[in-house]
């Protein structure tokens, strides 16, 4: 309920927790170097790092590290590639972690109930 009130005036696309998580990933992504594979849609990258390389396909929202499958936000490698093509990582988050579905969760209200002294006495046997 408190969350519902707090979020009523919140305009960001991602909930605060997800937002800061993504910010952290975005910072880390600066240590990775995306190399475009020359595909026509400008979506496939080989992303080189200190110990490993990964393959990112922005079109399919896939990376060989599979991080996004678990968390719903782009991994460091995808963020590196997205920075390269000037796209916003927020647009590459799964729908489930966006404010849209968060709002959907809090859309329904809970019916208020008076204290027990005001409850109607039932004629049925007590359990
Ligand atoms: Zn990755």
């Amino acid at each position: 309920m408190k969350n519902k009130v707090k979020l009523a005036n919140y305009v960001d696309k991602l909930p605060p927790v997800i937002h800061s998580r993504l910010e952290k990933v975005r910072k880390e992504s600066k240590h990775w170097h995306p190399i475009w594979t020359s595909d026509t849609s400008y979506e496939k990258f080989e992303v080189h790092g200190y110990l490993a390389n990964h393959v990112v396909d922005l079109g399919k929202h896939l990376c060989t590290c599979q991080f996004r499958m678990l968390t719903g936000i782009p991994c460091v490698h995808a963020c590196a590639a997205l920075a390269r093509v000037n796209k916003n990582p927020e647009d590459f988050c799964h729908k489930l972690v966006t404010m849209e579905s968060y709002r959907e969760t809090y859309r329904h209200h809970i019916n208020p109930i008076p204290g027990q002294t005001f409850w109607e006495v039932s004629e049925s046997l007590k359990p």
Side-chain angles (χ1 to χ4, degrees):
M1 192 58 197
K2 237 190 251 162
N3 276 348
K4 189 175 183 173
V5 176
K6 236 191 281 174
L7 292 173
N9 301 313
Y10 189 76
V11 288
D12 204 0
K13 189 174 174 180
L14 301 172
V17 183
I18 306 289
H19 188 99
S20 55
R21 207 179 290 165
L22 182 61
E23 245 352 270
K24 222 168 128 193
V25 174
R26 199 190 287 195
K27 257 184 212 156
E28 256 173 70
S29 75
K30 295 193 171 99
H31 302 295
W32 292 84
H33 306 285
I35 293 158
W36 181 41
T37 58
S38 305
D39 65 310
T40 45
S41 45
Y42 202 31
E43 286 172 339
K44 292 191 180 116
F45 291 84
E46 209 175 275
V47 183
H48 291 205
Y50 172 56
L51 288 173
N53 297 341
H54 281 286
V55 176
V56 168
D57 187 329
L58 295 177
K60 290 184 180 144
H61 289 212
L62 287 176
C63 177
T64 44
C65 77
Q66 311 218 327
F67 175 81
R68 187 183 177 277
M69 311 265 192
L70 301 171
T71 64
I73 64 173
C75 61
V76 280
H77 322 107
C79 279
L82 286 167
R84 175 72 179 275
V85 299
N86 271 325
K87 281 188 179 163
N88 195 344
E90 291 182 10
D91 299 331
F92 281 75
C93 289
H94 193 280
K95 191 179 172 285
L96 283 175
V97 301
T98 63
M99 280 309 292
E100 201 186 325
S101 41
Y102 213 68
R103 286 212 173 83
E104 189 63 21
T105 309
Y106 286 103
R107 193 168 55 89
H108 309 282
H109 67 276
I110 298 159
N111 281 327
I113 299 170
Q116 198 168 357
T117 42
F118 298 99
W119 291 5
E120 218 175 283
V121 180
S122 169
E123 281 164 24
S124 315
L125 284 172
K126 285 184 178 171

